[in-house]
């Protein structure tokens, strides 16, 4: 368990006891190794259920919209940026959220860990920045930094950007990471190679929409894939429809995505669809100097227009 | 093996605007293959999937009666993709019908009984099918008294007005037509369906069954009235709606509890409905 | 039941003999997991797997299939008259399906092949497909087939059961279809190693660690269970994606959608999920299951209660563990089934302090 958990539980207990919130949204221990389950608690005595460790990659900002309660939510860096976006987009009332900020050292990717083991993993214990992995009766020690989620590996906003309570010491931000190394690799491919790359990437997609539903940004009452008047996208497995879903969804997240990795984490067939949102994130950064969810005082690029906005795509 | 997904081809033979606001139209279909009409033999209370290739399908109660031969009619409310497309179609257009689907009103149980029919708005379609069936000379002797309470917002929103007026004049059926508020030239009752039911409907007893079809708000206020009149829950018959696709109990979406509205229903007694989760 | 020994040295030869007679399917490793795929020329099934990420149900129940079509061109005589798209009758053989997935097919039969109405596409696919199962020696921690009337060496839904016996496979022939395939492959050496098979079965069953209780489900009142207080707590994490329903070998819900390509209309049958809001959405805007709680409750009430009441076949689950393993938020059917099974109205809701 992370060193933050005691502070988190204390804060949660106080908030509930004082009646400052109706419920706390956090994690409880999952039924499988490397998994925690998002949960809510409403009484101070239940705070011992809350857990916090390196398996808390799910973005809890996904659980805040369309609720009437005052909610205390545990938020790491990326989650807090999504909360900022929710506030700017009027999906959440700032007065009805109490943010328990948690500085994050990166969440681990259970698939990366499983690929290091020959047998099914039975348990994973955390010891500071090492993981002790038990599989097939054997133990092995793995440095956490070797099995971080891809988005955590290149994260430059580990500290919450907005919070009401802080559950730990601020952590140093990573500065020597190339956020767009993967995007550059793809940009360097020829058109044919790019086509095959994306064809291959999206071939396993089963249209389960786990990526969309895990994403805090995707809160449309009716998603564009479900519209019928007019119908924009077919519902079968035609590759054109599958690709349309992914491309359009990425565009709907342009300028808003915080690269929390919830989409890739949720995908049951392991598609790395972050390549699309990373490309759009890079474009927003390079063209508009924009990073999503860092401040409540500015509106995102797709919301605003400045005379000096780049226009070189107009030929 | 019959393919339950395959519609019988039909031609639109007639289209009538059914209500003054044009939101409902009555379509008369003729089967391209006359043998299909025999295969489609149905009982009053059943529904069919009207199938428009390239557009979709909609589950609609059959408004024509089994005793009316040579065609089938449906009264359709324009609300979504398929119904809007249907409303824009012309006489002579070809489309499809799948059916008959569903379990129909329990005609075996109703033989020899008095029947009270309570209908509201455009839910009257399968009730028309039932009334025409019962009034047919071959069938009338099988039933006791027949009372009908049917209400709509205005006279122009009542379905099958000409027939209603003709039935009103008959002595073998008691019609209690009603509209919400007074209107010029209206000779019958004024008031919402539930209070008119309370005033005009016969008492419930062992030998009397009520068939109720209407919008949720009408049902909500009519059921207490029927209980007050002494109708037991297994003597109150209702027809439910739910989102459907296959219509024959396989695609799984129209279920309420363990019942599938398209296959185990859409006709249920209130007693059955009270024992299932309220998810319809 | 005839028991045949297939020397592993004869495995490939036998498969090559089967290839001209059957369209072969087997598990193939795709990146980080296995999936059932059509075996190309010379391709062998990779049987070094626990189970495939997606169930093999899509071999007989494809995720997306055009079932009817017609021309919209009004100059054609049969315009707007839909016709069934005939599938082919080429025999198929699935090598390496696990007993849980095979028994799931018998549950799907209860939906698609009833006395009153039969799905011709399902029937055709079932009739033309032969299933060679592969018994599980090392069940996973998430497997609970033995709790639901199945087992790692179970035979339901299979035509042949293969047991890996180191240098050979023991093949238990269960049906005529199985016998025909074995003969076509030239695998005919009879074996009397029944005792070995039984020992392996026992050892495998001992390794199953997950236990799920279902004995009281039939007796609990349906409305009480529907109104139980624990649904709010267990549905909170759910994100209403389709992962559980699409990976599940026993889920059968589908959608019917029309598509138009130039002047041809076709009617598609696509998998659908009760987890999606659109599933029960009426055109009027009314949605009987408009909230996440209602939809999650529906999934588990259907599988663990409505199905139990309607059929005499236990719960609508074969214990494969895919939903447990792949749910992005760790909703666990084992936990929920136990919660439901032990529910009585005297219990207070334990989940919330």
């Amino acid at each position: 368990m992370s060193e933050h958990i005691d502070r988190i539980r204390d804060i949660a207990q106080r908030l509930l006891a004082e009646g400052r919130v109706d419920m706390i949204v956090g994690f409880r221990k999952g039924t499988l190794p490397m998994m925690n389950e998002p949960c809510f608690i409403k009484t101070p005595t239940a705070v011992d259920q809350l857990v916090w460790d390196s398996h808390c990659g799910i973005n809890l900002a996904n659980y805040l919209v369309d609720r009437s309660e005052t909610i205390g939510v545990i938020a790491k860096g990326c989650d807090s940026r999504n909360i900022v976006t929710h506030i700017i987009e009027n999906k959440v009332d700032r007065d009805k959220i109490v943010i328990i900020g948690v500085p994050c050292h990166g969440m681990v990717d259970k698939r990366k860990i499983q690929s290091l083991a020959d047998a099914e993993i039975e348990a994973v214990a955390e010891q500071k920045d090492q993981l002790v992995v038990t599989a097939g009766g054997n133990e092995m020690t793995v440095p956490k930094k070797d099995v971080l989620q891809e988005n955590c590996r290149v994260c430059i906003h580990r500290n919450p950007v907005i919070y009401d309570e802080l559950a730990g010491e601020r952590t140093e931000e990573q500065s020597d990471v190339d956020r767009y190394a993967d995007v550059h690799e793809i940009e360097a491919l020829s058109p044919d190679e790019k086509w095959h790359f994306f064809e291959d990437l999206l071939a396993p997609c089963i249209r389960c929409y786990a990526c969309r539903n895990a994403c805090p940004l995707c809160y449309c009452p009716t998603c564009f894939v479900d519209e019928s008047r007019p119908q924009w996208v077919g519902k079968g497995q035609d590759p054109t429809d599958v690709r349309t879903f992914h491309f359009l969804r990425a565009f709907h997240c342009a300028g808003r995505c915080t690269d929390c990795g919830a989409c890739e984490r949720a995908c049951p067939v392991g598609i790395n669809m972050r390549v699309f949102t990373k490309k759009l994130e890079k474009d927003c950064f390079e063209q508009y100097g924009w990073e999503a969810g860092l401040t409540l005082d500015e509106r995102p690029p797709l919301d605003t227009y400045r005379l000096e906005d780049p226009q070189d795509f107009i030929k | 093996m019959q393919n339950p997904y395959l519609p019988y081809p039909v031609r639109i033979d007639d289209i009538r605007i059914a209500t003054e606001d044009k939101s409902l139209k009555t379509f008369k279909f003729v089967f391209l293959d006359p043998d299909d009409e025999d295969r489609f033999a149905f009982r009053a209370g059943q529904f069919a999937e009207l199938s428009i290739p390239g557009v979709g399908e909609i589950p609609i109660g059959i408004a024509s009666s089994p005793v009316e031969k040579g065609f089938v009619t449906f009264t359709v409310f324009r609300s979504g993709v398929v119904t809007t497309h249907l409303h824009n179609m012309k006489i002579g257009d070809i489309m499809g019908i799948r059916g008959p689907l569903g379990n129909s009103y329990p005609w075996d149980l109703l033989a020899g009984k008095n029947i009270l029919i309570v209908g509201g708005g455009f839910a009257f379609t399968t009730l028309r099918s039932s009334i025409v069936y019962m009034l047919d000379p071959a069938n009338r002797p099988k039933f006791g008294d027949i009372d009908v309470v049917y209400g709509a917002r205005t006279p122009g929103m009542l379905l099958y007005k000409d027939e209603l007026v003709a039935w009103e004049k008959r002595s073998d059926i008691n019609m209690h037509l009603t509209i919400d508020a007074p209107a010029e030239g209206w000779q019958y009752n004024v008031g919402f369906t539930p209070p008119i039911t309370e005033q005009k409907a016969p008492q419930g007893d062992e030998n009397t069954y009520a068939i109720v079809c209407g919008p949720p708000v009408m049902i909500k206020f009519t059921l207490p009235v029927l209980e007050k009149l002494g109708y037991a829950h297994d003597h109150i018959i209702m027809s439910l709606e739910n989102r459907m696709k296959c219509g024959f109990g396989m695609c799984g979406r129209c279920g309420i509890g363990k019942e599938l509205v398209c296959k185990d229903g859409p006709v249920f007694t209130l007693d059955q409905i009270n024992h299932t989760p309220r998810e319809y | 039941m005839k028991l045949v020994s297939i020397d592993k040295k004869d495995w490939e030869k036998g498969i090559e003999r089967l290839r001209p007679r059957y369209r072969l399917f087997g598990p193939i490793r795709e990146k980080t997991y296995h999936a059932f795929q059509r075996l190309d020329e010379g391709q062998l099934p990779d049987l070094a797997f626990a189970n495939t990420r997606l169930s093999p149900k899509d071999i007989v129940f494809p995720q997306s299939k055009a079932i009817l079509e017609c021309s919209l061109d009004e100059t054609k005589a049969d315009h707007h008259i839909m016709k069934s798209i005939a599938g082919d009758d080429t025999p198929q053989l699935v090598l390496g399906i696990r007993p849980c997935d095979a028994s799931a097919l018998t549950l799907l039969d209860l939906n698609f092949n009833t006395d009153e109405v039969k799905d011709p596409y399902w029937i055709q696919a079932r009739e033309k497909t032969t299933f060679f199962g592969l018994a599980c020696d090392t069940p996973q921690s998430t497997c609970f087939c033995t709790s639901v009337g199945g087992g790692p060496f179970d035979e339901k839904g299979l035509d042949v059961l293969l047991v890996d016996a180191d240098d050979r496979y023991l093949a238990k022939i269960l049906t005529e279809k199985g016998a025909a395939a074995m003969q076509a492959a030239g695998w005919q050496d009879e074996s009397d190693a029944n005792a070995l098979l039984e020992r392996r079965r026992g050892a495998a069953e001992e390794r199953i660690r997950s236990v799920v209780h279902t004995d009281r489900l039939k007796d609990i009142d349906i409305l009480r269970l529907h109104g139980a207080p624990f649904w709010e707590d267990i549905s909170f994490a759910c994100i209403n994606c389709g992962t559980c329903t699409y990976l599940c070998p026993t889920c059968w819900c589908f959608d019917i959608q029309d598509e138009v390509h130039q002047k041809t209309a076709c009617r598609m049958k696509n998998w659908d999920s009760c987890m999606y809001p659109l599933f029960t959405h009426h055109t009027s805007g009314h949605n009987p299951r408009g909230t996440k709680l209602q939809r999650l409750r529906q999934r588990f009430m259907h599988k663990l209660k409505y199905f139990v009441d309607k059929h005499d076949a236990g719960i609508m689950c074969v214990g494969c563990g895919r939903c447990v393993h792949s749910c992005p938020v760790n909703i666990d059917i084992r936990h929920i089934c136990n919660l439901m099974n032990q529910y009585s109205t005297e219990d207070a809701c334990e989940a919330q302090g």
Side-chain angles (χ1 to χ4, degrees):
Chain A
M1 192 78 72
S2 121
E3 66 268 24
H4 299 311
I5 189 53
D6 293 326
R7 287 282 295 274
I8 292 173
R9 286 178 181 161
D10 283 342
I11 296 169
Q13 185 179 49
R14 181 170 32 88
L15 291 175
L16 285 167
E18 289 174 3
R20 267 188 73 198
V21 297
D22 299 316
M23 62 200 270
I24 299 279
V25 169
F27 288 97
R28 63 179 169 215
K29 184 132 179 56
T31 59
L32 298 175
M34 305 179 286
M35 279 299 284
N36 289 318
E37 185 192 351
C39 72
F40 69 92
I41 56 168
K42 288 186 168 176
T43 57
T45 46
V47 298
D48 287 333
Q49 274 182 48
L50 295 175
V51 300
W52 191 263
D53 55 26
S54 303
H55 307 295
C56 294
I58 294 169
N59 190 330
L60 293 178
N62 195 27
Y63 294 94
L64 300 179
V65 297
D66 299 325
R67 295 200 75 103
S68 54
E69 300 96 333
T70 304
I71 305 175
V73 60
I74 305 174
K76 39 197 200 294
C78 46
D79 306 340
S80 71
R81 290 168 61 197
N82 280 105
I83 295 175
V84 166
T85 304
H86 276 327
I87 294 167
I88 291 177
E89 294 178 355
N90 294 317
K91 286 306 287 185
V92 137
D93 189 342
R94 178 65 183 100
D95 299 329
K96 301 200 71 175
I97 302 283
V98 176
I99 305 168
I100 305 171
V102 184
C104 179
H105 300 130
M107 296 294 158
V108 296
D109 183 335
K110 67 177 182 176
R111 292 185 190 131
K112 280 189 186 173
I113 301 172
Q114 179 64 70
S115 68
L116 298 175
D118 291 326
E120 196 192 353
I121 289 179
E122 291 144 46
V124 175
E126 291 195 48
Q127 282 173 9
K128 291 229 178 280
D129 47 7
Q130 309 275 9
L131 298 174
V132 178
V133 179
T134 312
N138 300 318
E139 263 186 26
M140 65 175 154
T141 306
V142 176
K144 250 195 252 176
K145 66 171 172 48
D146 290 350
V147 289
L148 288 178
Q149 274 181 202
E150 273 305 294
N151 64 297
C152 298
R153 210 173 46 77
V154 295
C155 174
I156 55 174
H157 293 292
R158 298 167 138 188
N159 292 298
V161 306
I162 179 178
Y163 55 86
D164 296 295
E165 308 265 353
L166 197 59
E169 294 292 305
R170 295 181 72 83
T171 185
E172 201 182 314
E173 298 289 2
Q174 299 189 111
S175 52
D176 56 345
V177 292
D178 180 359
R179 280 194 62 71
Y180 306 119
D182 49 353
V183 179
H184 288 131
E185 261 182 50
I186 300 170
E187 281 174 337
L189 298 174
S190 74
D192 266 348
E193 287 170 329
K194 272 187 206 158
W195 184 264
H196 288 299
F197 176 83
F198 293 125
E199 212 172 36
D200 205 48
L201 179 77
L202 294 176
C205 180
I206 56 173
R207 301 282 291 273
C208 68
Y209 302 126
C211 52
R212 178 193 74 182
N213 290 17
C215 175
L217 302 173
C218 284
Y219 53 68
C220 288
T222 306
C223 177
F224 73 93
V225 293
D226 291 330
E227 289 285 4
S228 59
R229 302 177 85 178
Q231 185 170 3
W232 304 111
V233 188
K235 296 194 171 245
Q237 282 297 88
D238 185 317
T240 305
D241 291 320
V242 174
R243 290 165 203 163
T244 304
F245 162 64
H246 283 281
F247 296 155
L248 264 190
R249 190 178 95 76
F251 273 100
H252 288 175
C253 298
R256 305 160 69 220
C257 173
T258 60
D259 203 31
C260 72
C263 50
E264 283 190 353
R265 197 188 167 91
C267 178
V269 293
I271 295 175
N272 299 124
M273 72 288 281
R274 272 174 57 252
V275 298
F276 302 123
T277 40
K278 285 290 290 297
K279 162 68 175 164
L280 294 172
E281 178 197 305
K282 173 173 167 290
D283 284 352
C284 283
F285 186 62
E286 290 175 351
Q287 293 187 27
Y288 309 112
W290 175 259
E291 280 184 274
L294 292 183
T295 167
L296 285 170
D297 301 325
E298 274 181 56
R299 295 209 66 84
L302 294 186
D303 253 20
T304 56
Y305 175 69
R306 295 173 309 194
L307 282 172
E308 61 269 23
D309 279 337
Q311 305 189 100
D312 29 285
F313 51 87
I314 300 174
K315 305 275 182 236
Chain B
M1 174 181 19
Q2 196 191 9
N3 184 341
Y5 295 96
L6 198 59
Y8 299 123
V10 295
R11 191 184 70 248
I12 300 180
D13 195 61
D14 192 42
I15 307 178
R16 299 271 166 94
I17 295 176
T19 51
E20 66 187 354
D21 67 354
K22 302 195 177 79
S23 63
L24 283 112
K25 284 188 179 177
T26 298
F27 294 84
K28 184 170 166 200
F29 299 104
V30 169
F31 291 91
L32 293 190
D33 177 352
D35 288 339
D36 285 343
E37 191 187 332
D38 296 328
R39 293 185 192 106
F40 190 80
F42 66 98
R43 299 184 307 282
Q46 289 189 295
F47 69 98
E49 288 274 357
L50 301 184
S51 174
I52 306 180
V55 184
E57 297 186 314
I58 37 169
I60 306 283
I62 306 172
S64 57
S65 194
V67 299
E68 297 175 298
K69 304 295 182 195
F71 59 89
V72 282
T73 65
F74 296 80
T75 302
V76 181
F77 177 59
R78 185 188 67 239
S79 53
V81 173
V82 184
T83 50
T84 301
H85 194 276
L86 179 59
H87 268 232
N88 291 332
M89 287 171 80
K90 306 177 307 295
I91 293 176
D93 282 348
I94 309 285
M95 48 183 275
I97 295 186
R98 283 200 294 117
L101 302 167
N103 65 345
S104 92
Y105 296 119
W107 295 111
D108 294 335
L109 191 63
L110 297 174
K113 303 287 190 281
N114 304 315
I115 317 284
L116 164 68
I117 289 181
V118 183
F122 45 89
F124 199 73
T125 57
T126 54
L127 299 178
R128 176 200 176 277
S129 179
S130 304
I131 293 169
V132 170
Y133 172 73
M134 289 192 286
L135 291 181
D136 186 83
N139 298 322
R140 187 61 187 88
K142 290 186 209 162
F143 303 99
D145 297 332
I146 304 175
D147 282 82
V148 178
V149 180
Y150 177 31
R153 283 201 311 276
T154 63
M157 294 305 290
L158 286 166
L159 297 176
Y160 322 120
K161 272 185 297 302
D162 298 338
E163 287 177 300
L164 296 176
V165 167
W167 294 337
E168 216 277 334
K169 297 188 171 74
R170 292 171 70 129
S171 56
D172 57 355
I173 181 171
N174 305 318
M175 298 295 293
H176 312 283
L177 303 171
T178 180
I179 51 173
D180 287 1
E184 194 169 319
W186 178 253
Q187 317 164 303
Y188 312 110
N189 301 288
V190 175
F192 294 126
T193 307
I196 299 297
T197 305
E198 190 166 354
Q199 287 166 35
K200 305 285 177 140
Q203 287 288 120
D205 59 34
E206 268 295 293
N207 293 316
T208 310
Y209 282 79
I211 303 179
V212 185
C213 258
V217 65
M218 186 209 94
I219 306 258
K220 183 173 167 184
F221 289 102
T222 304
L223 291 182
V225 163
L226 292 175
E227 284 175 349
K228 215 159 134 190
L229 288 170
Y231 287 83
H233 287 176
D234 60 356
H235 278 55
I236 299 175
I237 296 163
M238 302 171 55
S239 187
L240 295 184
E241 285 181 351
N242 224 348
R243 181 180 171 110
M244 295 179 187
K245 283 280 180 166
C246 71
F248 48 79
M250 266 182 210
C251 75
R253 81 191 55 240
C254 69
I256 49 166
K258 68 173 170 48
E259 320 294 337
L260 290 163
V261 176
C262 70
K263 189 174 178 186
D264 305 305
V267 176
F268 294 102
T269 65
L270 182 58
D271 195 44
Q272 289 172 303
I273 290 173
N274 286 343
H275 284 96
T276 62
R278 197 137 291 199
E279 284 179 356
Y280 50 88
Chain C
M1 305 280 162
K2 202 163 113 180
L3 197 62
V4 165
S5 174
I6 307 172
D7 193 317
K8 283 194 181 168
K9 294 206 265 320
D10 296 329
W11 178 244
E12 193 171 338
K13 260 191 297 212
I15 291 186
E16 291 315 315
R17 282 199 205 100
L18 289 169
R19 230 183 266 280
R21 314 269 279 263
Y22 297 89
R23 197 178 279 145
L24 295 179
F25 290 84
I28 295 291
R29 192 177 170 87
E30 281 187 338
K31 297 178 190 173
T32 56
Y33 58 87
H34 282 75
F36 273 92
Q37 280 184 23
R38 180 88 191 271
L39 298 179
D40 290 329
E41 278 304 308
Q43 198 177 26
L44 291 174
D46 177 1
L47 298 180
F49 75 116
N51 210 346
T52 50
R53 185 63 60 87
L54 267 82
S55 79
K57 79 180 173 186
D58 72 334
I59 297 174
V60 284
F61 175 32
Q63 177 161 8
S64 185
K65 182 180 169 63
I67 55 171
L68 307 178
E69 69 181 355
C70 72
S71 172
L72 299 177
D73 180 352
E74 297 198 352
T75 64
K76 298 259 184 316
D78 56 355
H79 71 90
H80 285 88
I81 297 178
M82 296 206 101
K83 298 197 177 43
S84 183
I85 298 175
D88 66 53
D89 281 318
T90 312
Q92 298 184 148
L93 198 146
V94 181
L95 288 158
I97 184 174
R98 292 296 188 185
C100 52
D101 292 331
S103 71
L105 296 169
T106 64
L107 294 181
L108 293 175
D109 281 332
L110 293 174
N111 183 56
F112 288 112
N113 189 352
T114 70
D115 291 333
E116 303 91 17
V117 64
K118 295 178 189 307
D119 182 322
Y121 309 101
W122 169 262
I123 305 244
Q124 181 186 46
R126 282 288 262 137
E127 284 177 355
K128 76 183 189 190
T129 311
T130 303
F131 292 96
F132 274 46
L134 181 63
C136 294
D137 287 304
T138 44
Q140 303 215 276
S141 66
T142 46
C143 293
F144 54 98
C145 49
T146 47
S147 294
V148 297
F153 279 52
D154 196 48
E155 296 166 6
K156 282 194 290 292
L158 289 174
D159 298 296
V160 170
L161 175 68
L162 297 172
V163 177
D164 190 330
D166 310 313
D167 58 341
R168 58 199 166 128
Y169 291 112
L170 292 175
K172 194 166 175 191
I173 303 181
L174 302 165
T175 66
E176 276 176 34
K177 261 159 96 177
M182 291 289 286
Q183 188 169 48
W187 294 324
Q188 307 274 267
D189 297 330
E190 286 197 37
S191 164
D192 59 359
N194 292 291
L196 169 66
L197 197 154
E198 287 311 305
R199 272 203 310 279
R200 293 268 173 139
R201 176 204 302 271
E205 285 175 1
E206 297 255 299
R207 289 194 189 97
I208 302 246
R209 281 155 279 162
S210 282
V211 178
V212 170
H213 302 284
T214 61
D215 51 308
R216 285 187 70 232
L217 290 169
K218 196 152 186 112
D219 301 322
I220 307 178
D221 177 66
I222 194 175
L223 289 178
R224 288 215 155 68
L225 203 47
H226 190 263
F230 52 69
W231 295 112
E232 198 193 349
D233 175 71
I234 59 181
S235 65
F236 179 78
C238 180
I239 58 174
N240 272 169
C241 66
T243 296
C244 51
T245 50
Y246 285 3
L247 268 53
C248 175
T250 69
C251 274
W252 64 56
C253 287
F254 59 90
D255 184 26
I256 300 180
Q257 272 274 311
D258 281 20
E259 289 188 3
V260 176
H261 305 277
Q262 298 184 331
K263 282 283 185 187
T264 306
C266 76
R267 188 154 288 164
M268 315 278 299
K269 217 172 125 192
N270 300 325
W271 287 356
D272 206 350
S273 173
C274 56
M275 292 280 106
Y276 300 146
L278 205 60
F279 193 64
T280 52
H281 182 268
H282 293 206
T283 309
S284 62
H286 170 60
N287 193 339
R289 293 201 278 270
T291 69
K292 181 168 77 169
L293 184 154
Q294 290 169 316
R295 291 193 287 275
L296 179 118
R297 176 175 58 191
Q298 162 66 14
R299 172 172 169 73
F300 294 107
M301 286 295 285
H302 182 212
K303 283 193 167 307
L304 307 175
K305 179 58 183 161
Y306 305 150
F307 183 85
V308 171
D309 284 353
K310 196 160 183 156
H311 304 277
D312 204 10
I315 62 173
M316 191 179 148
C317 170
V318 293
C320 76
R322 285 185 177 91
C323 59
V324 178
H325 177 265
S326 292
C327 173
V329 295
N330 198 196
I331 305 267
D332 194 324
I333 192 172
R334 302 170 298 178
H335 170 60
I336 296 175
C337 189
N338 286 334
L339 259 184
M340 288 170 70
N341 193 63
Q342 74 199 24
Y343 181 66
S344 80
T345 41
E346 285 95 57
D347 293 341
C349 175
E350 324 146 357
Q352 288 302 291

